[in-house]
Amino acid sequence: VTRTRAWLIGIILLSVVLRVGVAFYLGDTVPPAKDEQSYSLLAGRLATGYGYSFERPWYPFGTPGGSPTSHWSFLYTAFVAAVYAVAGPHPLAARLVQAVAVGVLMPWVTWRLAKRLTVEDRRLKIVPLIAAGLSAVYAYFVLYGAMVQTEAFFICALLWSLERGLAVASFDEAPPGRLAPSSRSAQDALWTGVSFGVSLGVATLLRQSILPWVAVMFLYLAIRRLKIEDWKIGRSWRGLAPLVVAGVVMVGCIVPFTVRNYLVYDNFLLLNSNAGYAMYAAQHPMHGTSFREYEAAPLPEELAGQGLNEAEWDDALMERGIGFVLAEPGRYLMLSLSRVRDYFEFWPTADSSTLFNVGRVASIGVMLPFMVYGMWMAITEGRKRAACGGEEEGRSGAIFHFPSSFFLLLFMAFYSLLHIFTWAMSRYRLPVDAVALVFAALAIAEIGWKVQGSRLKVEG
């Protein structure tokens, strides 16, 4: 345990140093016409008592200066505003605080997630450490960890929610060396549910696009919990208790902002006013059948002069976005197919800066083969282990718990399809990369074991 802890601390220190270095490189300014500028300006207003508003009309609706906005993450804006309240409106201060926080959190939560998947075996403790190390040095994570936007914190919250989801799924199971179901208390169930709910609440407040996945995840976990309880009514309801608690806590995180929106707009808006615009802009006929990810669709002229608030804009644009799909389903399918390229982009492109091109190639470009190999191992060897009751020895691919591997693969598939059929950019794939690194760690460990085995044979 002491050696594992020492390695983990070393990995975390490396993670922090890399992100702090990038923070100093990016400096005390934010690039114009980017999300970083929007968050910095909005946080500056919030820190000085003007609430969630911009000083002048702002993207994408041209919301009048001084008017409330809900388009941007409430939680992340509050984080940057808290830093600005102490240090003044200095993006470098926000970058440094975030770099340290994310530098600690990302390797740690990746390590915890990998531990959830790994079958109990003393020699296999290396796999979670490899996963943590990969998350610490993954170039895109290092870059976004120092940028004034939601990606880094959202990925940490997402990984935490997946780890907590696996905790809920396996709550009454008894893996070797862990507590038997009979020794788990109601207090344990409550804590598991609360922590799961908080992780989901934080992730949702950072980026509401996680909500469709939350619905799928709850359905999957409910089925798995009921299966564990053998469909016995009394026990089944007890088995679902952590899910119920998590749902209540997550809703509790969202409701204050829903109430705020109703008071501001006199209309229902669950959280942020960006879903409608994303659907409208991504399916707009201007794209034809080839998605142009960096071009903003013009707002409908017939709506521009009506003085709509953001809740009304969100409803109107969502209706038009769905209308584009229904009017031209064939074009929509071809447009979505074109987004596959944008989503999985791992090569240098002319419309990206040198920094981002290097980051892309040095992260997904290098790790993709290991990710694919690790996923293949987790599926094929995990099923073999399940089929033989876990008795198969010497097969490192069988170290991952198959139902848990399936859970993570389900997330990766669903989250990818969600963006491919709505709005796809390579940075929206980063949460999937974070999960895939766990499987890449398995592949790297497997390759290492094979090389070591070959050496032993040669030496013998």
Side-chain angles (χ1 to χ4, degrees), residues 397-420:
I399 68 175
F400 274 11
H401 186 230
F402 179 67
S404 298
S405 296
F406 176 81
F407 173 71
L408 295 189
L409 293 170
L410 176 65
F411 160 75
M412 296 170 67
F414 180 87
Y415 196 81
S416 297
L417 290 174
L418 176 67
H419 282 284
I420 288 170

Side-chain angles (χ1 to χ4, degrees), residues 268-326:
F268 175 79
L269 178 62
L270 180 64
L271 196 54
N272 301 121
S273 59
N274 50 33
Y277 179 76
M279 187 66 182
Y280 165 83
Q283 323 315 326
H284 196 279
M286 74 171 197
H287 296 287
T289 57
S290 180
F291 186 60
R292 290 177 277 175
E293 56 187 305
Y294 296 110
E295 294 189 26
L299 296 174
E301 293 183 2
E302 68 274 16
L303 297 178
Q306 295 186 17
L308 302 181
N309 61 43
E310 288 195 4
E312 292 168 331
W313 270 116
D314 190 62
D315 290 340
L317 293 181
M318 178 61 76
E319 181 180 351
R320 279 163 174 72
I322 294 173
F324 293 151
V325 175
L326 298 179

Side-chain angles (χ1 to χ4, degrees), residues 140-200:
Y140 245 14
F141 293 166
V142 173
L143 176 59
Y144 278 96
M147 295 179 70
V148 187
Q149 55 191 62
T150 60
E151 263 75 16
F153 279 129
F154 175 71
I155 293 170
C156 291
L158 173 70
L159 292 173
W160 182 29
S161 71
L162 293 175
E163 188 273 334
R164 291 290 81 197
L166 289 177
V168 169
S170 60
F171 183 75
D172 288 334
E173 294 176 354
R178 298 184 184 176
L179 293 174
S182 59
S183 62
R184 307 300 293 272
S185 66
Q187 185 176 359
D188 293 329
L190 178 62
W191 163 245
T192 302
V194 169
S195 58
F196 184 34
V198 171
S199 69
L200 293 174

Side-chain angles (χ1 to χ4, degrees), residues 3-16:
R3 181 178 297 179
T4 298
R5 183 178 301 172
W7 274 104
L8 186 59
I9 291 173
I11 289 169
I12 289 173
L13 289 175
L14 174 62
S15 175
V16 170

Side-chain angles (χ1 to χ4, degrees), residues 8 22 62 92 94 145 148 199 245 261 297 333 337 352 421 453 457 459:
L8 186 59
V22 172
L92 180 57
V148 187
S199 69
V245 172
N261 288 340
L333 289 176
L337 184 62
S352 292
F421 282 101
K457 289 180 182 179
E459 290 174 0

Side-chain angles (χ1 to χ4, degrees), residues 30 35-48 52 72-98 146-150 153 206:
V30 288
D35 286 356
E36 284 193 279
Q37 184 186 38
S38 296
Y39 276 116
S40 184
L41 292 176
L42 185 60
R45 293 276 292 179
L46 181 61
T48 51
Y52 290 92
W72 311 90
S73 165
F74 292 109
L75 183 59
Y76 186 73
T77 303
F79 159 74
V80 180
V83 176
Y84 284 2
V86 175
H90 295 287
L92 180 57
R95 297 186 194 282
L96 290 172
V97 174
Q98 179 174 302
M147 295 179 70
V148 187
Q149 55 191 62
T150 60
F153 279 129
L206 288 168

Side-chain angles (χ1 to χ4, degrees), residues 12-285:
I12 289 173
L13 289 175
L14 174 62
S15 175
V16 170
V17 168
L18 291 174
R19 285 155 178 79
V20 167
V22 172
F24 279 113
Y25 175 81
L26 295 176
D28 199 26
T29 60
V30 288
K34 300 289 185 181
D35 286 356
E36 284 193 279
Q37 184 186 38
S38 296
Y39 276 116
S40 184
L41 292 176
L42 185 60
R45 293 276 292 179
L46 181 61
T48 51
Y50 291 98
Y52 290 92
S53 67
F54 289 97
E55 185 177 6
R56 59 185 186 273
W58 204 254
Y59 172 90
F61 310 118
T63 303
S67 299
T69 181
S70 300
H71 192 77
W72 311 90
S73 165
F74 292 109
L75 183 59
Y76 186 73
T77 303
F79 159 74
V80 180
V83 176
Y84 284 2
V86 175
H90 295 287
L92 180 57
R95 297 186 194 282
L96 290 172
V97 174
Q98 179 174 302
V100 173
V102 174
V104 173
L105 289 173
M106 188 168 288
W108 179 70
V109 76
T110 302
W111 175 73
R112 285 182 60 90
L113 180 62
K115 282 191 67 179
R116 285 283 172 192
L117 267 69
T118 310
V119 175
E120 292 289 331
D121 189 316
R122 188 169 54 186
R123 79 184 183 106
L124 304 177
K125 291 181 180 179
I126 188 64
V127 176
L129 286 175
I130 293 174
L134 293 177
S135 73
V137 302
Y138 197 70
Y140 245 14
F141 293 166
V142 173
L143 176 59
Y144 278 96
M147 295 179 70
V148 187
Q149 55 191 62
T150 60
E151 263 75 16
F153 279 129
F154 175 71
I155 293 170
C156 291
L158 173 70
L159 292 173
W160 182 29
S161 71
L162 293 175
E163 188 273 334
R164 291 290 81 197
L166 289 177
V168 169
S170 60
F171 183 75
D172 288 334
E173 294 176 354
R178 298 184 184 176
L179 293 174
S182 59
S183 62
R184 307 300 293 272
S185 66
Q187 185 176 359
D188 293 329
L190 178 62
W191 163 245
T192 302
V194 169
S195 58
F196 184 34
V198 171
S199 69
L200 293 174
V202 171
T204 303
L205 293 178
L206 288 168
R207 185 172 292 169
Q208 67 174 5
S209 61
I210 194 179
L211 286 173
W213 160 247
V214 171
V216 173
M217 176 165 54
F218 267 64
L219 177 61
Y220 169 84
L221 293 176
I223 293 173
R224 187 164 163 184
R225 296 296 305 153
L226 290 172
K227 184 177 179 181
I228 290 173
E229 297 290 349
D230 296 325
W231 300 93
K232 295 177 182 178
I233 300 298
R235 295 182 62 195
S236 294
W237 282 113
R238 186 180 64 207
L240 292 177
L243 275 180
V244 174
V245 172
V248 170
V249 172
M250 184 187 73
V251 170
C253 293
I254 298 173
V255 164
F257 298 97
T258 306
V259 173
R260 176 262 186 192
N261 288 340
Y262 187 82
L263 294 175
V264 167
Y265 303 121
D266 195 26
N267 198 350
F268 175 79
L269 178 62
L270 180 64
L271 196 54
N272 301 121
S273 59
N274 50 33
Y277 179 76
M279 187 66 182
Y280 165 83
Q283 323 315 326
H284 196 279

